[in-house]
Amino acid sequence: MRGLRRWWDDTAGGLPATFWYLWSGLLINRAGAFALLFLSLYLTAARGASPSLAGLVVGAYGIGGAAGTLLGGVLADRWGRRATLLAAHLTAAGLMAALAFSRHLAVIAVLAALVGVAHSMPSPAFVAAIVDVVPEARRSRAFNLQFWAFNLGMAVASLLAGVLAEASFLALFLVDAGATLAAAVVIALKVPETLTRRPAVTPRAVVGRRPGLHTALTDRTFLTFVGLTFLLAVLTMQTSTIMPLAMRADGLRPSAYGLVVALGGALIVAGQLFVPRLIEPYRRSTVLAVSTGLMALGFGTLTVADGLPLYLGAAVVWTVGQMLAAPPNAQINADLAPPELRARYQSVFYLTFPAASFVAPALGGLSLEHLGERHWLVVGGLGLVAAAGHLLAGPRRERRVAALRAESERPVGVAR
């Protein structure tokens, strides 16, 4: 019992109550966010859309997501984290209910794009609020718990979605809307506004300009990190875009693909809470290099994979890499952001994921068609490039974080 308590203290101890309410809202939201998992099936089975038209509608959701990420970052820094979270959740719940009763494909497409905006707006605000309330020494653990909650919620959503979709598509959308509304209630009742106004602390490269979204978009140290994260996201997207095609080419059934994906999710849910203590003694750039290297090894192994056992073994390797990368990746992203631009920086960072969700299938499909199994050597090579990039960029990032910390701690009115 004493050992269990010590493990819990190392994993989640010392985190403020506001964090746990944010965490609960995220978990509820993710566990209920299952309607979009079946949007393409709903459009083809219930609304008579062709597969190509269904793909365009789902693509509209993705485009809305990119816009919502940037909008959420700007609003979270201007309105506040709580106001942005509430506006996004309430809007998403209303749009999802409207989507449940819509019949015309054009209306559904517009609503899907708007839902994409509303679903993506909370991400920068969530992370910015966590950074606002969690002491720096505990942030790695907080981000680790956030990643764990996200994956646990998605696992629950996947299970519930299948059951509800077989029973009623209407119920699928309405329960999704209800879960989003429940998350909004938790935020409204328990999460205070965490944004505090303070004198601007901007990187030297942009001193003299009025701080805004352009600050993040012209911050070379930050953009280098975003670029490396984009490579990591491209690797991660292989599991949901290109790997199913490769497994089918190897003669494996869809159930085999489901088993590989389920194994990764199970590993994250079972093991993610142990990661902070494991990586704590090491520099973040080193952890990211090792984690990205493991992902490169896992995906590179698929070059010789022709049966389920090798796919499962490779999945273990790349999932461990993902688990190790999650806390330092989020921590570095938070550390590089000036406090008054925290959510804007988050929004630029989160653009890597919709970008990767487009690039991975578009270029990956061509690569697989022309290179065959050698496609996985290219993917592994990208992972090794990212690993080397983290080692090379690490010292500059650390100097930048130290400079930002010194500036933020300088008493107001003291010249730089």
Side-chain angles (χ1 to χ4, degrees), residues 253-323:
R253 297 170 60 86
S255 58
Y257 170 69
L259 185 59
V260 172
V261 174
L263 175 63
L267 286 173
I268 291 173
V269 171
Q272 190 66 46
L273 295 182
F274 298 93
V275 169
R277 190 173 182 182
L278 177 65
I279 66 176
E280 194 169 16
Y282 304 101
R283 296 173 65 176
R284 291 168 190 157
S285 57
T286 302
V287 174
L288 283 175
V290 170
S291 62
T292 312
L294 286 173
M295 294 178 67
L297 175 62
F299 285 110
T301 301
L302 298 187
T303 306
V304 296
D306 56 3
L308 183 58
L310 266 177
Y311 276 99
L312 290 172
V316 170
V317 176
W318 75 58
T319 301
V320 170
Q322 288 177 299
M323 292 165 64

Side-chain angles (χ1 to χ4, degrees), residues 7 27 154 186 259 267 337 368:
W7 168 79
L27 180 60
M154 288 302 293
V186 171
L259 185 59
L267 286 173
L368 187 67

Side-chain angles (χ1 to χ4, degrees), residues 97-400:
L99 198 55
F101 295 102
S102 297
R103 297 292 179 268
H104 299 290
L105 288 174
V107 175
I108 292 173
V110 172
L111 288 173
L114 294 175
V115 169
V117 173
H119 274 182
S120 297
M121 282 176 59
S123 295
F126 262 124
V127 177
I130 289 172
V131 177
D132 291 342
V133 302
V134 176
E136 185 178 352
R138 295 282 179 177
R139 284 177 191 165
S140 178
R141 295 169 185 176
F143 287 129
N144 190 66
L145 286 163
Q146 178 205 14
F147 181 70
W148 182 73
F150 184 90
N151 282 276
L152 178 60
M154 288 302 293
V156 173
S158 299
L159 293 174
L160 292 177
V163 175
L164 285 171
E166 291 186 4
S168 166
F169 281 117
L170 178 63
L172 187 75
F173 287 104
L174 291 181
V175 173
D176 190 318
T180 305
L181 189 60
V185 171
V186 171
I187 293 166
L189 295 179
K190 295 296 185 179
V191 176
E193 179 53 62
T194 65
L195 175 64
T196 56
R197 306 293 177 181
R198 66 190 77 194
V201 178
T202 53
R204 290 185 178 182
V206 292
V207 168
R209 305 181 193 176
R210 183 178 179 181
L213 188 59
H214 69 272
T215 306
L217 294 173
T218 55
D219 184 340
R220 287 179 293 180
T221 301
F222 174 67
L223 290 179
T224 299
F225 175 67
V226 169
L228 294 172
T229 303
F230 170 74
L231 293 180
L232 185 147
V234 168
L235 265 65
T236 301
M237 290 292 176
Q238 299 297 312
T239 58
S240 60
T241 57
I242 305 304
M243 190 180 71
L245 303 178
M247 294 184 73
R248 184 176 64 182
D250 286 331
L252 296 172
R253 297 170 60 86
S255 58
Y257 170 69
L259 185 59
V260 172
V261 174
L263 175 63
L267 286 173
I268 291 173
V269 171
Q272 190 66 46
L273 295 182
F274 298 93
V275 169
R277 190 173 182 182
L278 177 65
I279 66 176
E280 194 169 16
Y282 304 101
R283 296 173 65 176
R284 291 168 190 157
S285 57
T286 302
V287 174
L288 283 175
V290 170
S291 62
T292 312
L294 286 173
M295 294 178 67
L297 175 62
F299 285 110
T301 301
L302 298 187
T303 306
V304 296
D306 56 3
L308 183 58
L310 266 177
Y311 276 99
L312 290 172
V316 170
V317 176
W318 75 58
T319 301
V320 170
Q322 288 177 299
M323 292 165 64
L324 295 177
N329 212 49
Q331 179 74 67
I332 291 171
N333 181 36
D335 289 345
L336 287 174
E340 75 282 1
L341 299 176
R342 195 165 277 156
R344 287 177 172 88
Y345 269 64
Q346 294 295 332
S347 68
V348 173
F349 172 80
Y350 273 98
L351 279 179
T352 58
F353 301 102
S357 69
F358 171 77
V359 170
L363 297 184
L366 289 173
S367 176
L368 187 67
E369 181 179 347
H370 291 92
L371 299 178
E373 292 178 342
R374 288 175 295 172
H375 163 77
W376 300 111
L377 291 178
V378 175
V379 175
L382 287 177
L384 293 178
V385 168
H390 279 298
L391 291 176
L392 293 173
R396 183 176 181 180
R397 285 198 304 252
E398 291 169 4
R399 291 193 297 269
R400 161 68 181 283

